[in-house]
Amino acid sequence: MQSFGAIEMQSKEAPSSMEIETVANGPDSVSASLPAKPKFKPLTAHEMSDGQVQFRKVSVPPHRYSPLKKAWMEIYTPIFDHMKIDIRMNLKARKVELKTRSDTPDVSNLQKCADFVHAFMLGFDVIDAVALLRLDELYVESFEIKDVKTLRGEHLSRAIGRLSGKGGKTKFAIENATKTRIVIADTKIHILGSFQNIKIARDSLCSLILGSPAGKVYSKLRQVTSRLQERF
């Protein structure tokens, strides 16, 4: 029979041997036995689309044909050089065609370029429309006067006159206050800007269409813009 002292010594030795084993099988030894992690290069935009070329086509309205001819190089340069997108004018179909290249850095560049060309076709200046390529949070919103109120004849003419003001004064005031760009093309209105700014500009234009005097719209704009400046 073993004495009580001998049993106690064995029980003390057992955990120490187990501790030695756990140290031997630590996380460092396991990671050393595993093969090294593979390092993959990030996929290019061309590889993401399985090497398929993507297209966009933007129609050219008849009244924007000659302005497009004059400003072609200003449109072509940022799209081809900076966004790495191929662009050409299809004279037969009267459309601007855009196409991705093998060195296009991002697939979203194609849609940005299409939005830029479309904004120019709506009547925006190239200097203003280029912002669509540089900033992500910019949009173009379009609506018609008849969407706000059904007007005919002289009433419609007066509403358009109220929107632009004498020498375009009212339109410029709304643009500067809301940091947007506005195009009034007959009964269609196009606004270029950020989501929140478009909403403020649209509200001001709608109240002018509904018959509010310009002075009332200016004072409301002043309140809204001061509130926005306080927020940010």
Side-chain angles (χ1 to χ4, degrees):
M1 280 182 72
Q2 286 181 331
S3 66
F4 179 74
I7 292 163
E8 195 174 0
M9 279 175 74
Q10 278 181 1
S11 64
K12 279 180 183 175
E13 282 170 11
S16 65
S17 64
M18 280 175 72
E19 277 172 24
I20 292 160
E21 283 175 12
T22 52
V23 170
N25 298 331
D28 296 333
S29 61
V30 172
S31 62
S33 64
L34 290 170
K37 281 184 182 178
K39 288 181 181 177
F40 298 113
K41 285 182 182 178
L43 289 171
T44 62
H46 191 63
E47 288 170 335
M48 277 181 189
S49 57
D50 297 329
Q52 289 181 342
V53 176
Q54 293 190 34
F55 291 92
R56 292 285 186 283
K57 289 180 183 180
V58 183
S59 305
V60 182
H63 69 282
R64 296 300 288 169
Y65 204 65
S66 53
L68 180 65
K69 264 186 184 176
K70 286 177 188 172
W72 179 252
M73 284 313 293
E74 292 171 51
I75 294 167
Y76 175 87
T77 308
I79 289 176
F80 187 81
D81 295 344
H82 302 299
M83 305 301 277
K84 309 286 185 207
I85 297 284
D86 280 341
I87 178 171
R88 73 171 185 184
M89 177 67 197
N90 189 333
L91 294 167
K92 203 173 183 182
R94 286 212 165 188
K95 286 182 179 179
V96 174
E97 295 178 352
L98 301 153
K99 183 185 78 163
T100 52
R101 289 169 13 197
S102 55
D103 61 336
T104 304
D106 194 358
V107 184
S108 65
N109 283 9
L110 182 64
Q111 189 55 49
K112 278 184 183 177
C113 293
D115 291 340
F116 163 54
V117 176
H118 179 63
F120 178 78
M121 297 310 166
L122 291 176
F124 292 100
D125 292 334
V126 177
I127 303 161
D128 300 328
V130 158
L132 285 164
L133 299 179
R134 293 178 184 154
L135 304 168
D136 290 332
E137 300 300 315
L138 284 185
Y139 308 94
V140 176
E141 188 171 315
S142 303
F143 66 96
E144 287 191 56
I145 290 172
K146 68 178 180 185
D147 297 337
V148 183
K149 192 180 183 183
T150 309
L151 297 167
R152 290 185 189 87
E154 284 186 15
H155 297 290
L156 181 61
S157 307
R158 277 199 293 272
I160 295 165
R162 276 199 304 276
L163 290 175
S164 54
K166 190 182 178 182
K169 191 177 81 169
T170 309
K171 183 174 84 87
F172 293 138
I174 294 169
E175 282 181 345
N176 294 333
T178 57
K179 296 189 180 79
T180 55
R181 286 290 171 268
I182 299 163
V183 168
I184 301 165
D186 195 22
T187 59
K188 287 193 176 96
I189 299 158
H190 312 290
I191 311 168
L192 166 69
S194 65
F195 183 78
Q196 197 173 29
N197 292 347
I198 284 173
K199 187 183 179 297
I200 298 162
R202 192 183 59 224
D203 290 346
S204 302
L205 291 167
C206 288
S207 51
L208 283 167
I209 292 164
L210 291 167
S212 295
K216 200 175 182 183
V217 173
Y218 290 155
S219 60
K220 197 176 179 185
L221 258 178
R222 237 176 265 126
Q223 287 172 12
V224 172
T225 48
S226 63
R227 213 177 297 145
L228 271 175
Q229 284 166 0
E230 283 170 15
R231 194 183 295 176
F232 299 112

